[in-house]
Amino acid sequence: LDEGEYHSTWLGNKAIYRTRMAIATGGELIILAPGVRKFGEDDQVDELIRQYGYVGTPAVMKAMEDSPILKENLSAVAHLIHGSSEGRFSVTYCPGHLTREEVEGV
């Protein structure tokens, strides 16, 4: 991902949803993202991504049922779904400014 253009997974996860149909089940997507510094484009969405993570559609939909904040942030819900591999392939994010623990935490 271009370092000058992609500063968050909010934008960088285009790499996931634009390639998901081309990746084999059990495959791996490696995302080189030297400019990625955060998850969300704003503080509230960043916090929601850190809290709920890219855990797949069923888990995100369940979390939305239980969370008034997610119900009010449907764009964050859609992002969490689009940014998940749905367990079909693995994603290795290589960001320039997030720790391994932060990335693995989502």
Side-chain angles (χ1 to χ4, degrees):
L1 302 175
D2 184 289
E3 185 172 7
E5 186 176 348
Y6 295 94
H7 302 288
S8 69
T9 63
W10 182 266
L11 296 176
N13 278 2
K14 289 178 183 181
I16 296 171
Y17 64 79
R18 288 187 176 173
T19 61
R20 74 173 61 243
M21 297 305 291
I23 299 172
T25 298
E28 179 181 18
L29 173 63
I30 299 172
I31 303 173
L32 304 177
V36 169
R37 304 175 183 287
K38 56 189 178 176
F39 296 102
E41 282 294 292
D42 64 53
D43 291 340
Q44 183 180 34
V45 172
D46 188 83
E47 183 178 318
L48 290 172
I49 295 167
R50 289 173 187 270
Q51 182 176 354
Y52 293 100
Y54 302 108
V55 294
T57 301
V60 171
M61 297 302 289
K62 174 69 172 120
M64 185 182 69
E65 289 175 16
D66 299 337
S67 170
I69 294 171
L70 280 179
K71 286 179 187 174
E72 294 172 7
N73 288 279
L74 296 180
S75 62
V77 171
H79 171 76
L80 291 171
I81 291 169
H82 291 159
S84 169
S85 70
E86 300 292 342
R88 197 174 61 73
F89 56 91
S90 65
V91 177
T92 300
Y93 238 104
C94 305
H97 305 280
L98 293 172
T99 67
R100 180 180 186 147
E101 291 78 19
E102 286 175 300
V103 172
E104 290 178 353
V106 300

